[in-house]
Amino acid sequence: MDHTVTAYEEEVPDEAAYFASGGFESERAARNRVTEGLIAPGENYEHTFEEPGTYGYFCIPHESSGMVGTVRVR
């Protein structure tokens, strides 16, 4: 199954850059163009966190199934 990595915009620290598979600059853009951010089996998504804080993220197609997570950067 395909997945996305999509940050909850309100859970990205103010100083930090927004992140989402597909390179979107906002959660709204990622949700509106979900097919452009899909990651197929065997593909990877990588993001380097530059700012400390707590980042919430989710998979758009599977959010309602509870596919959500948190990254804590110190």
Side-chain angles (χ1 to χ4, degrees), residues 35-58:
T35 58
E36 296 174 37
L38 291 173
I39 303 167
E43 292 182 346
N44 297 305
Y45 172 79
E46 187 174 308
H47 177 77
T48 301
F49 296 90
E50 301 287 342
E51 298 293 332
T54 301
Y55 300 77
Y57 70 98
F58 63 103

Side-chain angles (χ1 to χ4, degrees), residues 4-7 9 18-38 58 60-61:
T4 69
V5 175
T6 310
E9 198 160 355
Y18 183 77
F19 64 95
S21 52
F24 300 107
E25 294 184 14
S26 71
E27 183 179 341
R28 177 181 292 246
R31 287 183 183 275
N32 287 342
R33 297 169 40 206
V34 63
T35 58
E36 296 174 37
L38 291 173
F58 63 103
I60 293 172

